[in-house]
Amino acid sequence: MFSRREFLMAATATSALLGSGMAGSWSRLMAQQTLTEDQLLAMEPTGQLTLIHITDIHAQLKPLYFREPSINLGIGDVTGKPPHVTGADFLKLYNIQPGTPDAYALTSEDFVSLARTYGRMGGMDRVATVIKRIRAERGADNCLLLDGGDTWQGSYTSNKTLGQDMVTVMNALKPDAMTGHWEFTYGTDRVNELIEELPFAFLGSNIYDNEWDEPAFDAWKMFERGGSRVAVIGQAFPYTPIANPRWMIPGWSFGIREEDIATHVEEARGEGADVVVLLSHNGFDVDRKLASRVDGIDVILTGHTHDALPEPVIVNDTLVIASGSNGKFVSRVDLDVQDGKVSGYAYRLIPIFSEVITPDADMTGLIDEVRAPYEADLARVLGRTESLLYRRGNFNGTFDDLICQALLSERDAQIALSPGFRWGTSLLPGQDITFEDLHNACAMTYPAAYRSSMSGQMLKDILEDVGDNLFNKDPYYQQGGDMVRVGGMGYTIDPNADIGSRISGMTLLATGETIDPAKDYVVTGWASVNEETEGPPIDEVVESYILKNPVVKLPDNQSVKLAG
């Protein structure tokens, strides 16, 4: 009889070892042998060089639940292409059997049941084990560990320490380079302080000093690994001053700067680079387009959109690698470099099943150390959920529904707006909602929950603007996260329409009346990028609501309708 841990180890390792095409055989093979961490990490080595990629950790140090999106729409040329394939369609595309560990890790299908079977994922002490084992197998001098950013933000402890907890932990992992996005929401001075502590490169080829119109950070760095010269170009999120407060980083400008990237590729090749890697926080569709337009990039390690794909997408001879988020996955890319160019590769998206992978003792101790001053707060129970709480998806997630309910009640408003952030962990029905869980959904440096008057026309303009950031047919104009979440109001959206024509049917849910463009409504929200925003922090608003309503049970949200 298998114990739960043995069952999980066997199921997970068999699926990972044999690949998605053999996932349907996992239960039969599980009965034949018990598999271990060794098989979970097994990969036939290729070539002499290995890239290890992690991204979008969002300050999650401990194992967690994270539900992948059930809706991730692609627009225009990318309709129906990865990563815009979800659920059962994703399983069919990659030949993954329902109910398997791969199905649990990579999709939202039967999430609650599979989460209770396979347990939590991630944990930086498990990630440390995987990285150490890859380095030991391949040789540390043959590996590059690259961090795609959104690492320092997203938890209570990162907010309290202004990123110091994550810098301490990441320094122990010894990356070779990183880039950023949410890191910049700590402000110019703090970002510079933390970068001074890094024993590795912080790369940002697309960040310029506004006063001097010159690069603010190193654009790229050359490494000698596996007998090859490897150039790593860093690309921070190009729309940071639009999606996040410009006033926090007034001296820096951002952008895609495609021509700059092409120039850096030429520079790197001219200096003898055998391999060129773009360490990017552009988002998947932006990187797919960029790869089609800029020659000479061997690998793009993409981030920002939190996509996890078990195979590379190949564009213009460039491998585009998507490594997920929240520490759920580590990507390993082996490259065979011959005669100054990449002649072959092998890829493995390693799922970090917390009950399979042995935690690294040193990292566990370090994580406990940085969390120790805050443990009493982190463990405090606020309530309990009877609903699955999650955020990811193009439209309202249930955690955002809870936040909107809290805003409407606590701020006495008719309509609530909650930003479409992709970060934030998941809670299963029956779980306690702790202080830490709440902050995993709203920890940030501009948390004020405003209350103001907005006209119906302004509300439509906001929805149209955010919709265009998400659904513009040109990826280079996609500037934000998912769609703004709405409480107290319903609407219909046609993602394929042009800006100004996507939103219709706006309705005030409390009365059923149509939103009048000329009428003013009391609106509440949070995470405004305006410097003068006033209001209580969003975490205090939601905590107060949960303490008054300690059992959370959310109805199905059908307030957003799709058209077109």
Side-chain angles (χ1 to χ4, degrees), residues 314-368:
I314 302 176
V315 182
N316 191 23
D317 295 327
T318 300
L319 303 176
V320 183
I321 303 294
S323 304
S325 67
N326 289 278
K328 277 184 67 175
F329 303 94
V330 172
S331 279
R332 170 179 165 179
V333 187
D334 287 0
L335 298 176
D336 186 14
V337 183
Q338 301 288 340
D339 300 321
K341 63 181 181 180
V342 175
S343 61
Y345 78 93
Y347 175 60
R348 182 84 160 70
L349 181 68
I350 303 170
I352 307 300
F353 284 92
S354 303
E355 294 191 31
V356 176
I357 298 171
T358 304
D360 178 78
D362 291 339
M363 183 60 78
T364 300
L366 186 59
I367 290 170
D368 290 345

Side-chain angles (χ1 to χ4, degrees), residues 91-141:
L91 299 181
K92 291 175 184 176
L93 178 66
Y94 290 105
N95 196 22
I96 299 171
Q97 291 296 311
T100 60
D102 287 342
Y104 165 55
L106 290 163
T107 76
S108 61
E109 290 292 284
D110 200 17
F111 178 78
V112 172
S113 175
L114 295 181
R116 287 177 170 147
T117 298
Y118 298 121
R120 298 173 190 262
M121 298 191 70
M124 292 308 293
D125 49 2
R126 278 76 166 178
V127 170
T129 295
V130 171
I131 291 170
K132 285 184 176 181
R133 291 200 55 172
I134 294 172
R135 283 171 166 161
E137 176 192 340
R138 297 288 281 166
D141 291 340

Side-chain angles (χ1 to χ4, degrees), residues 376-432:
D377 283 331
L378 295 172
R380 183 158 55 88
V381 175
L382 308 179
R384 178 175 55 83
T385 182
E386 293 185 0
S387 301
L388 170 65
L389 297 183
Y390 65 92
R391 170 166 282 163
R392 264 316 318 268
N394 286 155
F395 306 103
N396 282 41
T398 52
F399 219 126
D400 294 296
D401 292 341
L402 172 59
I403 291 172
C404 285
Q405 282 188 0
L407 284 165
L408 291 171
S409 176
E410 296 292 309
R411 300 294 280 151
D412 189 22
Q414 295 171 286
I415 296 168
L417 303 177
S418 188
F421 297 142
R422 295 185 180 93
W423 49 270
T425 57
S426 302
L427 292 177
L428 305 183
Q431 275 192 265
D432 288 337

Side-chain angles (χ1 to χ4, degrees), residues 497-523:
D498 294 328
I499 187 171
S501 302
R502 287 191 179 93
I503 305 299
S504 62
M506 294 169 59
T507 304
L508 190 65
L509 297 180
T511 64
E513 67 186 85
T514 299
I515 297 292
D516 184 344
K519 184 177 178 180
D520 285 344
Y521 300 87
V522 179
V523 179

Side-chain angles (χ1 to χ4, degrees), residues 172-241:
L173 280 183
K174 300 178 181 178
D176 294 286
M178 74 172 293
T179 190
H181 169 205
W182 274 89
E183 285 75 8
F184 298 108
T185 62
Y186 291 122
T188 304
D189 291 344
R190 182 56 175 163
V191 169
N192 284 328
E193 287 175 1
L194 292 175
I195 289 175
E196 285 295 315
E197 293 186 32
L198 304 181
F200 53 88
F202 189 100
L203 302 175
S205 66
N206 59 330
I207 309 172
Y208 273 61
D209 182 286
N210 283 332
E211 182 177 359
W212 301 103
D213 193 30
E214 62 184 21
F217 297 92
D218 289 339
W220 63 280
K221 183 174 180 178
M222 188 80 82
F223 297 90
E224 299 273 355
R225 292 291 190 278
S228 299
R229 292 174 62 81
V230 185
V232 178
I233 303 169
Q235 178 83 349
F237 181 53
Y239 295 111
T240 297

Side-chain angles (χ1 to χ4, degrees), residues 282-339:
N282 279 333
F284 194 95
D285 287 339
V286 175
D287 280 327
R288 177 173 14 217
K289 177 176 177 178
L290 190 147
S292 74
R293 293 166 58 89
V294 177
D295 296 332
I297 303 174
D298 296 296
V299 180
I300 296 180
L301 302 173
T302 191
H304 177 63
T305 40
H306 292 200
D307 309 299
L309 297 179
E311 299 174 5
V313 172
I314 302 176
V315 182
N316 191 23
D317 295 327
T318 300
L319 303 176
V320 183
I321 303 294
S323 304
S325 67
N326 289 278
K328 277 184 67 175
F329 303 94
V330 172
S331 279
R332 170 179 165 179
V333 187
D334 287 0
L335 298 176
D336 186 14
V337 183
Q338 301 288 340
D339 300 321

Side-chain angles (χ1 to χ4, degrees), residues 270-285:
E271 294 188 23
D274 304 304
V275 180
V276 175
V277 177
L278 182 67
L279 178 62
S280 172
H281 207 88
N282 279 333
F284 194 95
D285 287 339

